[in-house]
Amino acid sequence: MRIAVEGCMHGDLDNVYWTLRHLEKVENTKIDVLICCGDFQAVRNEKDLESLNVPPKYRSMNSFWKYYSGKEVAPYPTIFIGGNHEASNYLWELYYGGWAAPNIYFLGCAGVVKFGNIRIGGLSGIYNARHYHLGHYERPPYNDSDIRSVYHVREYDVHKLMQVEEQIDIFISHDWPLGITDFGNSKELIRQKPFFEKEIQERTLGSKAAAELMEKLKPPHWFSAHLHCKFAALVQHGEGGPMTKFLALDKCLPGRKFLQIVEIESEPGPYEIQYDEEWLAITRKFNSIFPLTTKRANFGAVQLDSKECRQWVRRKLHIRGAKPFEFARTVLCHDPSQYTSDGSFSGNHRNPQTESLLQFLELPYLLDNVIESGDSTHSPASFICRGSFDEDSDPIDDVDEIEEHTEVDDVETETAE
């Protein structure tokens, strides 16, 4: 199986797909799937831009809307996670995962799917200790605080991923696992990005949650993005233990190292994205404690038996099949012939895919629950980061206009139209 791995998409689907087609033609090969490591920016219309935490001058429709509307169709099965620059209102509709557009699949805040016989897991967002133990309290439309915290990784989602026992072949996170620089050429990284040196020395560069997941899951391959540079590392889990090949990639710009092709042994195709039995069982088991306020999840309250839950899901999948529920649009799409499109909303949209999945698992729909306190539907904890320094901005975004980027020599693909 030939897997294309892309760093930060930033909504530039047209150029990434063009690059892959060019690569197939030049190398006379066939790409089976594209994996994107966050900052995908699934922006459907102008209203979605209001949920995108980027300075106004960087807000742009880019090209995802074409694929959402059906004007274009993704030429490769595409699997992505969320980063810290996303249309967070749309991704919340698909919290459990689902088709963001035809042939473009979002793994959810956390998720595992099968592609052929390959298991692909992922964790959306970036780590921030201030919000890690809180629940998913943010609801669209987001205020100035919630738009920054909504993409912060939560303990609940990490805990679910920590329950996975069967082998994960590929794992995706947006930010790097904490300490991963110990296992690669950190001197070269610092030469390229001198402002990383202090964070590396202070052990603050990367995600603590991602590091814990890498140690638990030990996947053969781990892909990340976020820091807008290429970095490779090789982690051996104990003496004689399994190895994890780590690779972080850049964003899609000419001359940048944003794409790499990885070959993985697999059963013969054709391949398609399917639900993962173990992950659906974990989802069913822990949904009763889904934390939707600032209160921490009560993991001790879980009652369902893991074995029984797995058997229950297996029976259901045997009857229905493992193909995800069909894509459905929930808002009007951007119309480039008009200045604005009628994409406004009141409250939250219930995505039919999410409703169908929850009905299949016989679980209640909870995503539009709001906190019944005070005079706002927003969390009372929004003061936590209001007015504070924004620690979540990409380091590269802050210096893009003044920094000269040094290229890494061992990249296979760097073409951009």
Side-chain angles (χ1 to χ4, degrees):
M1 184 185 296
R2 290 178 64 82
I3 298 171
V5 183
E6 201 272 336
C8 296
M9 180 73 80
H10 289 288
D12 199 3
L13 281 70
D14 284 352
N15 272 336
V16 171
Y17 290 141
W18 183 93
T19 300
L20 289 177
R21 288 192 180 102
H22 175 77
L23 181 66
E24 285 186 324
K25 182 178 179 180
V26 169
E27 297 192 0
N28 191 28
T29 188
K30 176 70 174 67
I31 305 298
D32 295 302
V33 64
L34 169 65
I35 291 176
C36 179
C37 303
D39 282 359
F40 191 80
Q41 295 185 12
V43 176
R44 303 164 293 179
N45 56 40
E46 287 80 357
K47 195 68 179 178
D48 282 352
L49 291 173
E50 297 177 10
S51 293
L52 193 68
N53 183 32
V54 298
K57 68 177 180 177
Y58 291 121
R59 290 180 179 175
S60 172
M61 287 303 305
N62 296 327
S63 57
F64 172 79
W65 66 270
K66 300 177 186 178
Y67 301 85
Y68 182 80
S69 69
K71 181 179 180 180
E72 301 284 351
V73 177
Y76 310 92
T78 302
I79 298 172
F80 75 97
I81 57 167
N84 58 313
H85 299 306
E86 302 291 359
S88 297
N89 60 324
Y90 185 29
L91 298 192
W92 180 246
E93 289 181 24
L94 298 172
Y95 167 83
Y96 299 92
W99 301 108
N103 216 28
I104 299 175
Y105 194 89
F106 174 49
L107 275 180
C109 276
V112 181
V113 295
K114 294 186 71 175
F115 187 72
N117 67 320
I118 299 298
R119 296 182 82 209
I120 302 172
L123 177 67
S124 291
I126 62 172
Y127 180 79
N128 188 307
R130 292 176 298 172
H131 298 97
Y132 182 65
H133 295 294
L134 304 183
H136 289 279
Y137 63 84
E138 302 88 350
R139 301 290 182 277
Y142 305 112
N143 61 32
D144 290 343
S145 172
D146 295 351
I147 199 173
R148 290 176 170 84
S149 64
V150 65
Y151 50 75
H152 288 162
V153 168
R154 303 300 157 92
E155 177 190 30
Y156 171 75
D157 302 303
V158 174
H159 184 83
K160 287 168 62 181
L161 286 166
M162 293 288 281
Q163 310 309 304
V164 174
E165 297 294 339
E166 295 181 3
Q167 179 67 59
I168 295 285
D169 300 292
I170 296 170
F171 197 87
I172 323 164
S173 66
H174 186 58
D175 47 359
W176 304 6
L178 181 66
I180 195 67
T181 52
D182 294 344
F183 301 92
N185 191 342
S186 59
K187 291 183 179 180
E188 173 62 20
L189 177 64
I190 293 170
R191 188 183 71 81
Q192 297 178 70
K193 314 290 182 186
F195 43 90
F196 288 175
E197 184 171 14
K198 182 179 178 182
E199 291 180 85
I200 291 173
Q201 291 175 348
E202 295 177 349
R203 309 294 290 180
T204 58
L205 184 71
S207 165
K208 180 180 178 182
E212 292 172 352
L213 282 168
M214 178 178 282
E215 178 58 30
K216 168 63 168 62
L217 300 175
K218 299 177 175 61
H221 297 273
W222 188 296
F223 303 123
S224 297
H226 189 43
L227 298 183
H228 294 174
C229 62
K230 185 190 177 190
F231 181 77
L234 186 62
V235 181
Q236 182 165 7
H237 302 281
E239 187 176 349
M243 308 284 283
T244 296
K245 296 178 181 179
F246 173 83
L247 178 66
L249 293 167
D250 206 332
K251 61 180 175 180
C252 179
L253 285 175
R256 303 283 276 270
K257 312 305 182 182
F258 67 91
L259 188 66
Q260 187 141 337
I261 308 303
V262 177
E263 291 189 3
I264 295 181
E265 291 187 9
S266 68
E267 295 175 354
Y271 310 111
E272 63 178 0
I273 296 169
Q274 293 188 324
Y275 287 133
D276 182 83
E277 178 187 299
E278 184 184 23
W279 181 249
L280 291 187
I282 291 169
T283 298
R284 177 172 166 78
K285 178 176 178 178
F286 286 93
N287 203 67
S288 63
I289 61 164
F290 189 0
L292 292 160
T293 69
T294 57
K295 188 176 180 180
R296 187 176 188 175
N298 181 12
F299 298 110
V302 175
Q303 300 295 327
L304 290 175
D305 177 80
S306 296
K307 185 176 181 180
E308 289 183 6
C309 202
R310 182 75 179 266
Q311 292 173 344
W312 185 91
V313 169
R314 183 178 299 127
R315 289 193 298 268
K316 294 277 284 187
L317 287 174
H318 180 74
I319 296 170
R320 182 199 172 271
K323 189 175 181 179
F325 291 95
E326 293 184 359
F327 166 73
R329 297 185 189 91
T330 54
V331 299
L332 294 179
C333 187
H334 167 69
D335 184 349
S337 68
Q338 300 178 7
Y339 179 70
T340 60
S341 64
D342 184 15
S344 61
F345 58 84
S346 58
N348 302 338
H349 287 291
R350 286 195 170 194
N351 195 296
Q353 295 178 79
T354 302
E355 290 186 301
S356 296
L357 176 61
L358 291 171
Q359 290 169 7
F360 173 73
L361 295 175
E362 298 182 11
L363 296 173
Y365 187 101
L366 303 173
L367 298 179
D368 50 11
N369 286 11
V370 296
I371 298 173
E372 304 281 343
S373 64
D375 58 356
S376 172
T377 60
H378 294 288
S379 165
S382 60
F383 70 89
I384 290 176
C385 61
R386 192 185 306 281
S388 62
F389 175 71
D390 183 6
E391 299 173 357
D392 303 328
S393 57
D394 285 346
I396 309 304
D397 286 345
D398 296 335
V399 294
D400 261 344
E401 298 178 359
I402 61 173
E403 184 187 0
E404 293 290 335
H405 293 288
T406 305
E407 305 297 351
V408 183
D409 295 333
D410 57 344
V411 172
E412 295 181 5
T413 306
E414 58 180 59
T415 308
E417 187 176 23

